[in-house]
Amino acid sequence: MYQIIDGNKIASEIKKEIAVEVAKLRESGKKIPHLAAILVGNNGSSETYVANKVKDCEEVGFNSTLIRFRPEIQEKEILEKINELNHDADIDGFIVQLPLPVQISENKVIEAIDPLKDADGFHPVNLGKMMIGLPCYMPATPFGIVELIRRYGIQTSGRNCVVIGRSNIVGRPVSILLSQKGIDANVCVIHSRTINFQEIIYNADIIIAAIGVPSFVKAEMVKEGAVVIDVGTTRVAAPEKKSGWKLAGDVDFENVAPKCSFITPVPGGVGPMTRVSLLRNTLMAAKGKII
Ligand code: GUN
């Protein structure tokens, strides 16, 4: 029988730990962590993510600020706001919710963020520091995935791990974290050009699915006893729901789960852990732990 990796449960444990630390900061008259978020336009998923991030801040006692821009905003305006936040001593960390409208270069935006305030851990400086194991802002989703694996006591040392997808915000950074000393997995990253991907996935003890294709991972690709982490969060039509949509993972959960030792659900698996990583990053920054 498989075990569900409950992201909501672990995230709420970590939030309690963070709330205790915030209470200590408050009692000793220290600075309360403050996270800001920039949201451009009104993409449904981005609205939900950002609303949840603000709610998380309230829950642990952080201050939070939401900055909204209309979808027609020019790159210059957003870069000016980033510069302002970089120099605002009260803001410990901030994020710019992606994706951005086409007229704005995401890379330019990410590179404009002060690496010491880059709560998402997307800046090349933070990715570089993570790569060589220095203290830094960790990329939120990869850190959340590793924390789930660690807190469920899942063995990684010497085990075969396949990462499906090579995005800058999930696939690539998680592959680096999993191969680091102390985690010690044998990591293989596969992508849209991989030949024999079924065979490679079948060889894996741990599967991280991060390609954004609903139900891409099928039961016949998964080895008996594998650990499956599903990062997919594609919105698909669901007429039975009031909203008219639901979140679909990259794994055909119903058929894959019976073959697994551990599996994350969607929603309620990796998603809540991404948000908690953001809180962890902001707390570290407020405590001066990121240098
Ligand atoms: N869009 C999808 N996931 C994320 C995330 O973790 N951070 C930001 N800034 N944008 C996203």
Side-chain angles (χ1 to χ4, degrees):
M1 182 60 189
Y2 63 90
Q3 194 179 336
I4 291 280
I5 298 179
D6 186 344
N8 283 323
K9 176 168 155 272
I10 301 291
S12 104
E13 280 171 25
I14 300 175
K15 275 195 265 188
K16 282 197 193 112
E17 294 164 15
I18 294 175
V20 169
E21 297 227 27
V22 177
K24 279 191 209 152
L25 291 175
R26 202 179 285 278
E27 275 160 29
S28 53
K30 298 230 171 72
K31 188 180 177 310
I32 302 303
H34 188 170
L35 176 72
I38 297 179
L39 176 60
V40 182
N42 28 36
N43 169 293
S45 306
S46 294
E47 290 269 358
T48 310
Y49 287 144
V50 170
N52 283 329
K53 287 169 187 176
V54 169
K55 191 167 89 35
D56 287 338
C57 284
E58 283 166 12
E59 224 178 297
V60 299
F62 283 10
N63 293 324
S64 65
T65 299
L66 173 57
I67 299 152
R68 282 178 170 273
F69 285 109
R70 62 203 186 286
E72 313 78 44
I73 186 186
Q74 291 306 305
E75 195 176 84
K76 186 165 159 284
E77 281 178 80
I78 191 168
L79 293 176
E80 275 166 14
K81 177 53 81 177
I82 289 172
N83 188 42
E84 192 185 311
L85 295 176
N86 283 344
H87 292 97
D88 183 339
D90 196 59
I91 304 285
D92 298 292
F94 64 96
I95 64 154
V96 179
Q97 187 66 29
L98 305 178
L100 291 169
V102 287
Q103 74 274 20
I104 300 171
S105 153
E106 289 188 353
N107 281 340
K108 257 200 205 165
V109 162
I110 289 170
E111 288 190 56
I113 298 172
D114 178 347
L116 295 177
K117 294 201 173 189
D118 167 36
D120 263 323
F122 288 171
H123 193 284
V125 165
N126 284 312
L127 290 172
K129 286 184 174 178
M130 177 202 71
M131 170 108 182
I132 58 174
L134 291 176
C136 64
Y137 281 108
M138 301 295 261
T141 301
F143 184 67
I145 292 169
V146 169
E147 198 59 18
L148 271 184
I149 290 175
R150 198 176 66 76
R151 292 194 182 225
Y152 269 85
I154 292 165
Q155 293 301 311
T156 48
S157 181
R159 297 183 81 196
N160 291 339
C161 176
V162 67
V163 176
I164 312 174
R166 56 180 161 182
S167 72
N168 289 341
I169 66 175
V170 185
R172 276 181 209 280
V174 82
S175 73
I176 292 166
L177 286 181
L178 289 166
S179 63
Q180 263 171 352
K181 254 199 175 31
I183 301 181
D184 302 314
N186 322 318
V187 184
C188 175
V189 180
I190 66 169
H191 44 79
S192 53
R193 298 297 161 103
T194 304
I195 299 166
N196 286 349
F197 65 88
Q198 290 98 333
E199 219 171 277
I200 299 171
I201 298 172
Y202 194 79
N203 193 36
D205 303 302
I206 301 168
I207 300 166
I208 316 276
I211 39 163
V213 178
S215 295
F216 177 83
V217 177
K218 306 273 189 307
E220 60 273 19
M221 300 179 195
V222 177
K223 179 165 80 177
E224 203 67 50
V227 174
V228 174
I229 310 281
D230 189 349
V231 190
T233 50
T234 308
R235 279 189 177 191
V236 295
E240 74 279 10
K241 295 251 181 184
K242 214 170 77 191
S243 61
W245 58 269
K246 62 177 182 181
L247 284 183
D250 289 350
V251 176
D252 174 9
F253 183 92
E254 198 183 327
N255 296 306
V256 169
K259 295 185 84 175
C260 295
S261 53
F262 292 91
I263 185 167
T264 60
V266 174
V270 174
M273 294 301 290
T274 298
R275 285 156 42 196
V276 126
S277 303
L278 206 57
L279 298 177
R280 172 262 176 204
N281 277 347
T282 309
L283 176 68
M284 298 275 288
K287 288 168 79 176
K289 293 271 173 67
I290 293 177
I291 44 175

mmCIF file of all heavy atoms in Angstrom, residues 9-44:
data_model
loop_
_atom_site.group_PDB
_atom_site.id
_atom_site.type_symbol
_atom_site.label_atom_id
_atom_site.label_comp_id
_atom_site.label_asym_id
_atom_site.label_seq_id
_atom_site.Cartn_x
_atom_site.Cartn_y
_atom_site.Cartn_z
ATOM 1 N N LYS A 9 0.364 18.920 5.396
ATOM 2 C CA LYS A 9 0.719 18.604 6.786
ATOM 3 C C LYS A 9 2.137 19.098 7.097
ATOM 4 O O LYS A 9 2.366 19.768 8.108
ATOM 5 C CB LYS A 9 0.615 17.087 6.997
ATOM 6 C CG LYS A 9 1.055 16.621 8.354
ATOM 7 C CD LYS A 9 0.645 15.173 8.577
ATOM 8 C CE LYS A 9 1.529 14.495 9.587
ATOM 9 N NZ LYS A 9 2.723 13.874 8.999
ATOM 10 N N ILE A 10 3.081 18.763 6.209
ATOM 11 C CA ILE A 10 4.480 19.171 6.451
ATOM 12 C C ILE A 10 4.590 20.698 6.408
ATOM 13 O O ILE A 10 5.274 21.302 7.241
ATOM 14 C CB ILE A 10 5.430 18.539 5.392
ATOM 15 C CG1 ILE A 10 5.338 17.010 5.426
ATOM 16 C CG2 ILE A 10 6.865 19.001 5.599
ATOM 17 C CD1 ILE A 10 5.887 16.349 6.649
ATOM 18 N N ALA A 11 3.890 21.319 5.449
ATOM 19 C CA ALA A 11 3.959 22.787 5.342
ATOM 20 C C ALA A 11 3.410 23.419 6.615
ATOM 21 O O ALA A 11 3.966 24.397 7.117
ATOM 22 C CB ALA A 11 3.181 23.269 4.118
ATOM 23 N N SER A 12 2.345 22.835 7.152
ATOM 24 C CA SER A 12 1.785 23.466 8.357
ATOM 25 C C SER A 12 2.709 23.243 9.560
ATOM 26 O O SER A 12 2.844 24.135 10.403
ATOM 27 C CB SER A 12 0.329 23.053 8.559
ATOM 28 O OG SER A 12 0.185 22.130 9.541
ATOM 29 N N GLU A 13 3.435 22.112 9.607
ATOM 30 C CA GLU A 13 4.450 21.920 10.671
ATOM 31 C C GLU A 13 5.553 22.979 10.560
ATOM 32 O O GLU A 13 5.949 23.577 11.555
ATOM 33 C CB GLU A 13 5.101 20.537 10.530
ATOM 34 C CG GLU A 13 4.275 19.402 11.104
ATOM 35 C CD GLU A 13 4.864 18.019 10.741
ATOM 36 O OE1 GLU A 13 6.083 17.903 10.472
ATOM 37 O OE2 GLU A 13 4.064 17.075 10.716
ATOM 38 N N ILE A 14 6.026 23.183 9.333
ATOM 39 C CA ILE A 14 7.120 24.158 9.137
ATOM 40 C C ILE A 14 6.631 25.576 9.454
ATOM 41 O O ILE A 14 7.346 26.368 10.055
ATOM 42 C CB ILE A 14 7.694 24.077 7.701
ATOM 43 C CG1 ILE A 14 8.259 22.674 7.437
ATOM 44 C CG2 ILE A 14 8.783 25.126 7.479
ATOM 45 C CD1 ILE A 14 8.754 22.424 6.023
ATOM 46 N N LYS A 15 5.373 25.850 9.076
ATOM 47 C CA LYS A 15 4.836 27.189 9.378
ATOM 48 C C LYS A 15 4.785 27.425 10.892
ATOM 49 O O LYS A 15 5.072 28.518 11.358
ATOM 50 C CB LYS A 15 3.439 27.352 8.762
ATOM 51 C CG LYS A 15 3.515 27.792 7.314
ATOM 52 C CD LYS A 15 2.208 28.307 6.807
ATOM 53 C CE LYS A 15 1.453 27.228 6.103
ATOM 54 N NZ LYS A 15 0.256 27.659 5.424
ATOM 55 N N LYS A 16 4.435 26.356 11.631
ATOM 56 C CA LYS A 16 4.424 26.489 13.104
ATOM 57 C C LYS A 16 5.834 26.804 13.601
ATOM 58 O O LYS A 16 6.018 27.657 14.463
ATOM 59 C CB LYS A 16 3.907 25.204 13.757
ATOM 60 C CG LYS A 16 2.410 25.101 13.692
ATOM 61 C CD LYS A 16 1.877 24.072 14.685
ATOM 62 C CE LYS A 16 0.425 23.770 14.362
ATOM 63 N NZ LYS A 16 0.191 22.418 13.873
ATOM 64 N N GLU A 17 6.834 26.096 13.041
ATOM 65 C CA GLU A 17 8.228 26.343 13.457
ATOM 66 C C GLU A 17 8.625 27.789 13.150
ATOM 67 O O GLU A 17 9.269 28.461 13.963
ATOM 68 C CB GLU A 17 9.185 25.396 12.701
ATOM 69 C CG GLU A 17 9.011 23.915 13.061
ATOM 70 C CD GLU A 17 9.670 22.975 12.029
ATOM 71 O OE1 GLU A 17 10.489 23.429 11.200
ATOM 72 O OE2 GLU A 17 9.338 21.779 12.044
ATOM 73 N N ILE A 18 8.203 28.278 11.969
ATOM 74 C CA ILE A 18 8.545 29.654 11.586
ATOM 75 C C ILE A 18 7.828 30.658 12.498
ATOM 76 O O ILE A 18 8.418 31.643 12.949
ATOM 77 C CB ILE A 18 8.210 29.906 10.092
ATOM 78 C CG1 ILE A 18 9.123 29.049 9.200
ATOM 79 C CG2 ILE A 18 8.346 31.385 9.727
ATOM 80 C CD1 ILE A 18 8.833 29.104 7.713
ATOM 81 N N ALA A 19 6.545 30.366 12.801
ATOM 82 C CA ALA A 19 5.775 31.277 13.662
ATOM 83 C C ALA A 19 6.432 31.417 15.038
ATOM 84 O O ALA A 19 6.459 32.502 15.616
ATOM 85 C CB ALA A 19 4.333 30.784 13.786
ATOM 86 N N VAL A 20 6.987 30.323 15.562
ATOM 87 C CA VAL A 20 7.673 30.361 16.861
ATOM 88 C C VAL A 20 8.879 31.300 16.761
ATOM 89 O O VAL A 20 9.117 32.137 17.645
ATOM 90 C CB VAL A 20 8.125 28.934 17.287
ATOM 91 C CG1 VAL A 20 9.066 28.975 18.479
ATOM 92 C CG2 VAL A 20 6.908 28.068 17.586
ATOM 93 N N GLU A 21 9.607 31.189 15.651
ATOM 94 C CA GLU A 21 10.788 32.056 15.466
ATOM 95 C C GLU A 21 10.380 33.524 15.335
ATOM 96 O O GLU A 21 11.058 34.409 15.852
ATOM 97 C CB GLU A 21 11.563 31.621 14.216
ATOM 98 C CG GLU A 21 12.114 30.220 14.349
ATOM 99 C CD GLU A 21 13.565 30.154 13.913
ATOM 100 O OE1 GLU A 21 14.269 31.161 13.988
ATOM 101 O OE2 GLU A 21 13.957 29.058 13.477
ATOM 102 N N VAL A 22 9.268 33.771 14.643
ATOM 103 C CA VAL A 22 8.808 35.162 14.476
ATOM 104 C C VAL A 22 8.401 35.726 15.844
ATOM 105 O O VAL A 22 8.720 36.874 16.176
ATOM 106 C CB VAL A 22 7.626 35.260 13.475
ATOM 107 C CG1 VAL A 22 7.114 36.689 13.366
ATOM 108 C CG2 VAL A 22 8.053 34.763 12.115
ATOM 109 N N ALA A 23 7.720 34.903 16.659
ATOM 110 C CA ALA A 23 7.310 35.356 17.998
ATOM 111 C C ALA A 23 8.543 35.724 18.825
ATOM 112 O O ALA A 23 8.545 36.730 19.541
ATOM 113 C CB ALA A 23 6.488 34.263 18.679
ATOM 114 N N LYS A 24 9.609 34.937 18.681
ATOM 115 C CA LYS A 24 10.850 35.232 19.423
ATOM 116 C C LYS A 24 11.438 36.567 18.962
ATOM 117 O O LYS A 24 11.895 37.364 19.772
ATOM 118 C CB LYS A 24 11.887 34.119 19.188
ATOM 119 C CG LYS A 24 11.662 32.899 20.055
ATOM 120 C CD LYS A 24 12.895 32.003 19.936
ATOM 121 C CE LYS A 24 12.515 30.555 20.142
ATOM 122 N NZ LYS A 24 13.391 29.631 19.445
ATOM 123 N N LEU A 25 11.431 36.796 17.637
ATOM 124 C CA LEU A 25 11.954 38.059 17.099
ATOM 125 C C LEU A 25 11.149 39.228 17.668
ATOM 126 O O LEU A 25 11.695 40.246 18.088
ATOM 127 C CB LEU A 25 11.872 38.078 15.562
ATOM 128 C CG LEU A 25 12.805 37.126 14.794
ATOM 129 C CD1 LEU A 25 12.509 37.185 13.308
ATOM 130 C CD2 LEU A 25 14.275 37.484 15.023
ATOM 131 N N ARG A 26 9.819 39.043 17.698
ATOM 132 C CA ARG A 26 8.922 40.094 18.196
ATOM 133 C C ARG A 26 9.219 40.399 19.657
ATOM 134 O O ARG A 26 9.385 41.557 20.052
ATOM 135 C CB ARG A 26 7.468 39.620 18.027
ATOM 136 C CG ARG A 26 6.452 40.736 18.000
ATOM 137 C CD ARG A 26 5.056 40.164 17.803
ATOM 138 N NE ARG A 26 4.784 39.720 16.444
ATOM 139 C CZ ARG A 26 4.416 40.536 15.464
ATOM 140 N NH1 ARG A 26 4.280 41.810 15.689
ATOM 141 N NH2 ARG A 26 4.189 40.065 14.249
ATOM 142 N N GLU A 27 9.333 39.317 20.463
ATOM 143 C CA GLU A 27 9.574 39.493 21.910
ATOM 144 C C GLU A 27 10.885 40.220 22.188
ATOM 145 O O GLU A 27 10.974 41.013 23.113
ATOM 146 C CB GLU A 27 9.626 38.124 22.604
ATOM 147 C CG GLU A 27 8.252 37.598 22.983
ATOM 148 C CD GLU A 27 8.295 36.088 23.208
ATOM 149 O OE1 GLU A 27 9.346 35.569 23.602
ATOM 150 O OE2 GLU A 27 7.249 35.450 22.951
ATOM 151 N N SER A 28 11.892 39.925 21.343
ATOM 152 C CA SER A 28 13.184 40.547 21.620
ATOM 153 C C SER A 28 13.360 41.868 20.862
ATOM 154 O O SER A 28 14.468 42.391 20.760
ATOM 155 C CB SER A 28 14.324 39.574 21.323
ATOM 156 O OG SER A 28 14.174 39.082 20.020
ATOM 157 N N GLY A 29 12.235 42.396 20.339
ATOM 158 C CA GLY A 29 12.267 43.723 19.703
ATOM 159 C C GLY A 29 13.020 43.751 18.384
ATOM 160 O O GLY A 29 13.388 44.814 17.896
ATOM 161 N N LYS A 30 13.218 42.570 17.786
ATOM 162 C CA LYS A 30 13.944 42.530 16.508
ATOM 163 C C LYS A 30 12.971 42.781 15.340
ATOM 164 O O LYS A 30 11.756 42.804 15.519
ATOM 165 C CB LYS A 30 14.621 41.164 16.343
ATOM 166 C CG LYS A 30 15.658 40.876 17.423
ATOM 167 C CD LYS A 30 16.973 40.419 16.793
ATOM 168 C CE LYS A 30 18.097 40.328 17.798
ATOM 169 N NZ LYS A 30 17.964 39.196 18.723
ATOM 170 N N LYS A 31 13.551 42.890 14.165
ATOM 171 C CA LYS A 31 12.744 43.193 12.993
ATOM 172 C C LYS A 31 11.813 42.038 12.610
ATOM 173 O O LYS A 31 12.241 40.884 12.588
ATOM 174 C CB LYS A 31 13.686 43.493 11.828
ATOM 175 C CG LYS A 31 12.935 44.006 10.641
ATOM 176 C CD LYS A 31 13.834 44.304 9.472
ATOM 177 C CE LYS A 31 12.968 44.745 8.306
ATOM 178 N NZ LYS A 31 11.856 43.843 8.028
ATOM 179 N N ILE A 32 10.562 42.379 12.294
ATOM 180 C CA ILE A 32 9.608 41.363 11.833
ATOM 181 C C ILE A 32 9.843 41.154 10.334
ATOM 182 O O ILE A 32 9.893 42.133 9.575
ATOM 183 C CB ILE A 32 8.148 41.858 12.061
ATOM 184 C CG1 ILE A 32 7.908 42.174 13.549
ATOM 185 C CG2 ILE A 32 7.130 40.841 11.559
ATOM 186 C CD1 ILE A 32 8.176 41.027 14.494
ATOM 187 N N PRO A 33 9.983 39.898 9.901
ATOM 188 C CA PRO A 33 10.203 39.658 8.466
ATOM 189 C C PRO A 33 9.095 40.268 7.599
ATOM 190 O O PRO A 33 7.921 40.232 7.984
ATOM 191 C CB PRO A 33 10.195 38.132 8.357
ATOM 192 C CG PRO A 33 10.544 37.648 9.722
ATOM 193 C CD PRO A 33 9.983 38.662 10.679
ATOM 194 N N HIS A 34 9.498 40.820 6.476
ATOM 195 C CA HIS A 34 8.542 41.489 5.572
ATOM 196 C C HIS A 34 8.795 41.016 4.141
ATOM 197 O O HIS A 34 9.863 41.245 3.589
ATOM 198 C CB HIS A 34 8.739 43.008 5.706
ATOM 199 C CG HIS A 34 7.711 43.823 4.977
ATOM 200 N ND1 HIS A 34 7.596 45.183 5.144
ATOM 201 C CD2 HIS A 34 6.751 43.483 4.076
ATOM 202 C CE1 HIS A 34 6.617 45.636 4.369
ATOM 203 N NE2 HIS A 34 6.088 44.617 3.709
ATOM 204 N N LEU A 35 7.787 40.346 3.568
ATOM 205 C CA LEU A 35 7.872 39.834 2.188
ATOM 206 C C LEU A 35 6.960 40.670 1.288
ATOM 207 O O LEU A 35 5.802 40.917 1.637
ATOM 208 C CB LEU A 35 7.427 38.366 2.152
ATOM 209 C CG LEU A 35 7.353 37.694 0.781
ATOM 210 C CD1 LEU A 35 8.746 37.424 0.212
ATOM 211 C CD2 LEU A 35 6.598 36.361 0.862
ATOM 212 N N ALA A 36 7.468 41.094 0.152
ATOM 213 C CA ALA A 36 6.617 41.799 -0.821
ATOM 214 C C ALA A 36 6.469 40.958 -2.077
ATOM 215 O O ALA A 36 7.350 40.152 -2.401
ATOM 216 C CB ALA A 36 7.224 43.161 -1.163
ATOM 217 N N ALA A 37 5.342 41.136 -2.755
ATOM 218 C CA ALA A 37 5.109 40.404 -4.009
ATOM 219 C C ALA A 37 4.632 41.381 -5.070
ATOM 220 O O ALA A 37 3.773 42.225 -4.800
ATOM 221 C CB ALA A 37 4.071 39.312 -3.790
ATOM 222 N N ILE A 38 5.202 41.260 -6.263
ATOM 223 C CA ILE A 38 4.729 42.061 -7.403
ATOM 224 C C ILE A 38 3.910 41.140 -8.305
ATOM 225 O O ILE A 38 4.373 40.071 -8.690
ATOM 226 C CB ILE A 38 5.917 42.656 -8.205
ATOM 227 C CG1 ILE A 38 6.725 43.624 -7.323
ATOM 228 C CG2 ILE A 38 5.415 43.349 -9.470
ATOM 229 C CD1 ILE A 38 7.935 44.254 -8.036
ATOM 230 N N LEU A 39 2.695 41.585 -8.581
ATOM 231 C CA LEU A 39 1.796 40.807 -9.442
ATOM 232 C C LEU A 39 1.396 41.683 -10.623
ATOM 233 O O LEU A 39 0.848 42.765 -10.434
ATOM 234 C CB LEU A 39 0.562 40.381 -8.636
ATOM 235 C CG LEU A 39 -0.542 39.646 -9.377
ATOM 236 C CD1 LEU A 39 -0.036 38.359 -9.997
ATOM 237 C CD2 LEU A 39 -1.707 39.328 -8.436
ATOM 238 N N VAL A 40 1.671 41.195 -11.830
ATOM 239 C CA VAL A 40 1.331 41.958 -13.030
ATOM 240 C C VAL A 40 0.134 41.302 -13.713
ATOM 241 O O VAL A 40 0.174 40.105 -13.988
ATOM 242 C CB VAL A 40 2.526 42.016 -14.010
ATOM 243 C CG1 VAL A 40 2.176 42.848 -15.236
ATOM 244 C CG2 VAL A 40 3.764 42.585 -13.329
ATOM 245 N N GLY A 41 -0.906 42.097 -13.956
ATOM 246 C CA GLY A 41 -2.081 41.577 -14.661
ATOM 247 C C GLY A 41 -2.957 40.738 -13.744
ATOM 248 O O GLY A 41 -2.848 40.810 -12.513
ATOM 249 N N ASN A 42 -3.817 39.920 -14.367
ATOM 250 C CA ASN A 42 -4.715 39.122 -13.527
ATOM 251 C C ASN A 42 -4.875 37.691 -14.022
ATOM 252 O O ASN A 42 -5.962 37.136 -14.043
ATOM 253 C CB ASN A 42 -6.078 39.800 -13.340
ATOM 254 C CG ASN A 42 -6.393 40.680 -14.525
ATOM 255 O OD1 ASN A 42 -6.058 40.335 -15.670
ATOM 256 N ND2 ASN A 42 -6.999 41.809 -14.273
ATOM 257 N N ASN A 43 -3.722 37.080 -14.332
ATOM 258 C CA ASN A 43 -3.695 35.641 -14.650
ATOM 259 C C ASN A 43 -4.244 34.868 -13.442
ATOM 260 O O ASN A 43 -3.829 35.091 -12.299
ATOM 261 C CB ASN A 43 -2.230 35.277 -14.951
ATOM 262 C CG ASN A 43 -2.007 33.788 -15.041
ATOM 263 O OD1 ASN A 43 -2.129 33.074 -14.059
ATOM 264 N ND2 ASN A 43 -1.670 33.317 -16.225
ATOM 265 N N GLY A 44 -5.217 33.987 -13.701
ATOM 266 C CA GLY A 44 -5.911 33.290 -12.607
ATOM 267 C C GLY A 44 -4.984 32.550 -11.662
ATOM 268 O O GLY A 44 -5.081 32.688 -10.436
#
